């Protein structure tokens, strides 16, 4: 059975999953991690997510840090831009993003709102001293400000 979300080593994804035809439902790499998974040096995100074994993963959310993300969700491609913030501690923002992604997906949100939820959680976490912590106030504030565009 396909796992709902796989967090871990890029080499584990590439070497164990792909070799055994077991694929995660969703991954959230940054560009360097995506290059490692795709086994390519290209900086072209579209090219990287089009590598044959990458197409077997339904949801690929490529983190671009303070610039937001690029996302392949099924056959649809999106970008999400986040507002500029003065980050206090970005540690745990990726985990917050993945947690919100899983929560939003599980609750049947639209692709656009899945991305808003994930990006708002990552932004909100970066505004806190504590790791993996966010407030409802910041989450709601940034959720409304995430600019999601479908590009195909």
């Amino acid at each position: 059975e396909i796992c709902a979300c796989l967090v871990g080593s890029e080499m584990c994804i590439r070497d164990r999953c792909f070799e055994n035809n077991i694929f995660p439902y969703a991954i959230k790499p940054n560009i360097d991690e995506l290059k490692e998974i795709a086994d390519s040096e290209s900086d072209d995100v579209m090219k990287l997510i089009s590598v044959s074994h990458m197409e077997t993963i339904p949801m690929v959310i490529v983190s671009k840090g303070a610039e937001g993300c690029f996302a392949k969700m099924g056959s649809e491609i999106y970008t999400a831009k986040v507002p500029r913030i003065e980050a206090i501690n970005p540690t745990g923002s990726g985990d917050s993003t993945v947690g919100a992604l899983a929560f939003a997906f599980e609750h049947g949100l639209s692709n656009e709102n899945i991305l808003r939820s994930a990006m708002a959680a990552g932004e909100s976490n970066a505004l806190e001293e504590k790791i993996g912590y966010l407030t409802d106030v910041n989450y709601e504030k940034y959720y409304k400000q995430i600019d999601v565009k479908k590009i195909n």
Side-chain angles (χ1 to χ4, degrees):
E1 184 167 313
I2 298 175
C3 57
C5 187
L6 178 65
V7 179
S9 165
E10 299 74 44
M11 290 184 65
C12 175
I13 294 170
R14 190 185 70 219
D15 297 342
R16 297 229 170 91
C17 294
F18 296 153
E19 286 178 5
N20 293 301
N21 289 320
I22 300 170
F23 303 100
Y25 186 82
I27 59 173
K28 190 216 60 72
N30 63 35
I31 189 68
D32 292 328
E33 293 165 337
L34 182 62
K35 288 164 132 177
E36 189 172 334
I37 294 166
D39 200 19
S40 173
E41 291 301 314
S42 176
D43 287 322
D44 181 345
V45 176
M46 285 298 291
K47 181 178 177 182
L48 292 169
I49 65 169
S50 297
V51 173
S52 64
H53 58 270
M54 291 298 293
E55 290 191 351
T56 60
I57 302 172
M59 192 179 296
V60 179
I61 313 296
V62 183
S63 172
K64 295 168 58 181
E67 295 176 36
C69 74
F70 178 92
K72 174 189 82 122
M73 302 175 85
S75 61
E76 299 174 338
I77 306 294
Y78 298 86
T79 60
K81 300 219 182 292
V82 297
R84 291 273 178 216
I85 61 168
E86 291 294 323
I88 295 170
N89 184 2
T91 304
S93 289
D95 292 338
S96 297
T97 299
V98 170
L101 173 77
F103 180 86
F105 179 76
E106 180 69 21
H107 284 83
L109 272 62
S110 67
N111 286 345
E112 290 88 347
N113 288 333
I114 288 172
L115 293 174
R116 280 188 190 93
S117 182
M119 295 295 99
E123 287 270 287
S124 298
N125 173 82
L127 292 169
E128 302 294 332
E129 280 288 330
K130 295 181 195 176
I131 296 170
Y133 178 82
L134 52 104
T135 66
D136 291 344
V137 171
N138 282 337
Y139 174 84
E140 292 298 328
K141 174 183 175 182
Y142 289 105
Y143 182 92
K144 295 172 187 171
Q145 295 180 40
I146 307 299
D147 181 26
V148 178
K149 289 197 175 15
K150 184 175 174 187
I151 58 175
N152 81 330

